[in-house]
Amino acid sequence: MPPRLQLLSRASAAVSQPTYQPLAPFLYPCLNQQRSASILSQLSDNKGAYSKRIRVGRGPSSGYGKTSGRGHKGQKQHGKVPAGFNGGQTPDWVVSGSRGYDNPFSTEMSPINLNRIQYWINAGRLDPTQPITLKELAASRCIHGVAKDGVKLLARGKEELSTPINIIVSRASTEAINAVEKAGGTVTTRYYTDFAIKKIKKGEMDPVHSLQSRIVLAPENEAGAEAAADALAEERRQYRFRLPDPTSRKHLEYYRDSAHRGYLSHMVAEGHGPSLFFRTPGMGTRTGKKVVKKSGQTASGSENRLW
């Protein structure tokens, strides 16, 4: 046993002498607290923190005794077999070769249909009074996992949709957009990355607002605009990461298109199209002047470019 401090006996002896008082009387109860110095020897791992190593070849009673889990005879019992080894003959990957390729420009999205959303609303698993984003869809298990490019809204069971909803997804079909707006709801498509999807599911990133977005989730009046601005400022202070915006031409042109209900459609001037390369037919320079053509002349393809 380690030595213990005998402070209480010393303090009581000092109290008996009227000429000297080393400690105040209110400290006496604290002196009874004695602690052993061998705390480190009592540390141990939590139960189930590690698994005991399996010892093979230690008799039949262990369950791994005679053949140690390798089976009877053969090359796999006596030694290791290289990956792809085919008995010494020409490997299959040499004879057949590789087939196909991975398209780096393909998109992977989780589909969600309108009838499933309506079923989840009827079951009380989705709140139609709040914006429905991929975070709510994943948290309610309406979709089982979100693909790397987000969620696409499809129109299967569109006749079953009867509740107006405000849904924000990566992409949406034309029939799905028409069905939601016919029911009194809104569809907004916005850009998500794989990193953003992971942070949104963890609650570390705003699923709606970014620097370039102008998504209005409040009534279109002065009070609604103030409420939306306050909510945006509060969400920017709340979340750790900022939701990114697209940088490639492919994504910019898609989310600038009002036909897709893109969240960047407010950046397109009136009378112009979403393209970043070609001019809108009938429009001249970037200032919006119309092109005046003489009879018998046609504009070449190069004259219709912005740069």
Side-chain angles (χ1 to χ4, degrees), residues 168 188-192 206-217 228 232 235-236 242-246 255 262-267:
I168 302 173
T188 304
T189 58
R190 74 147 299 123
Y191 174 74
Y192 293 105
D206 188 357
V208 178
H209 299 289
S210 62
L211 290 179
Q212 297 181 356
S213 64
R214 298 292 185 272
I215 301 176
V216 179
L217 302 177
L232 178 59
E235 289 171 354
R236 287 179 177 176
R242 178 180 295 170
L243 187 62
D245 290 308
Y255 294 107
Y263 80 107
L264 297 179
S265 58
H266 66 276
M267 303 176 64

Side-chain angles (χ1 to χ4, degrees), residues 17-263:
Q17 300 178 4
T19 58
Y20 177 70
Q21 186 174 354
L23 296 175
F26 66 87
L27 294 177
Y28 294 160
C30 302
L31 299 178
N32 290 327
Q33 299 180 5
Q34 298 179 355
R35 190 171 184 179
S36 175
S38 59
I39 299 176
L40 297 178
S41 63
Q42 300 176 2
L43 297 178
S44 62
D45 292 326
N46 295 330
K47 186 177 180 180
Y50 63 93
S51 300
K52 188 176 180 181
R53 182 177 64 87
I54 298 176
R55 303 179 66 197
V56 298
R58 294 298 185 271
S61 61
S62 65
Y64 299 93
K66 180 173 175 292
T67 56
S68 302
R70 294 189 179 188
H72 293 272
K73 302 180 181 179
Q75 185 179 10
K76 292 184 179 180
Q77 183 200 26
H78 298 153
K80 294 183 179 180
V81 182
F85 184 70
N86 201 9
Q89 64 184 6
T90 306
D92 293 338
W93 63 270
V94 175
V95 175
S96 302
S98 59
R99 294 292 185 271
Y101 71 102
D102 293 331
N103 185 3
F105 302 103
S106 63
T107 57
E108 298 179 11
M109 294 192 177
S110 302
I112 181 66
N113 289 279
L114 295 177
N115 57 352
R116 186 173 179 89
I117 293 178
Q118 184 63 49
Y119 182 80
W120 247 242
I121 292 175
N122 297 338
R125 303 178 69 173
L126 282 176
D127 186 7
T129 61
Q130 300 295 328
I132 299 177
T133 65
L134 56 86
K135 180 180 180 181
E136 285 76 23
L137 294 174
S140 64
R141 305 298 292 169
C142 190
I143 55 177
H144 297 276
V146 182
K148 66 180 183 67
D149 293 316
V151 179
K152 183 172 183 178
L153 182 65
L154 302 178
R156 189 178 67 183
K158 59 182 179 180
E159 62 279 354
E160 302 179 17
L161 182 66
S162 59
T163 306
I165 58 175
N166 297 325
I167 186 168
I168 302 173
V169 290
S170 300
R171 294 190 180 183
S173 65
T174 304
E175 292 188 13
I177 293 174
N178 296 334
V180 172
E181 293 180 349
K182 183 179 179 180
T186 60
V187 176
T188 304
T189 58
R190 74 147 299 123
Y191 174 74
Y192 293 105
T193 61
D194 189 20
F195 176 81
I197 292 172
K198 294 178 182 178
K199 295 304 177 182
I200 288 173
K201 293 174 65 176
K202 292 181 180 180
E204 298 179 355
M205 184 180 291
D206 188 357
V208 178
H209 299 289
S210 62
L211 290 179
Q212 297 181 356
S213 64
R214 298 292 185 272
I215 301 176
V216 179
L217 302 177
E220 296 184 359
N221 51 34
E222 185 177 355
E226 294 179 357
D230 295 341
L232 178 59
E234 180 63 26
E235 289 171 354
R236 287 179 177 176
R237 290 192 297 267
Q238 176 183 357
Y239 295 101
R240 179 182 177 186
F241 299 94
R242 178 180 295 170
L243 187 62
D245 290 308
T247 56
S248 65
R249 175 189 167 188
K250 172 185 175 182
H251 294 126
L252 282 171
E253 291 183 351
Y254 182 89
Y255 294 107
R256 281 164 53 94
D257 195 351
S258 59
H260 299 152
R261 303 303 185 267
Y263 80 107

Side-chain angles (χ1 to χ4, degrees), residues 275-291:
S275 177
L276 297 174
F277 189 76
F278 294 102
R279 292 193 182 98
T280 304
M283 305 301 293
T285 60
R286 296 184 182 181
T287 58
K289 297 180 180 180
K290 293 185 178 181
V291 176

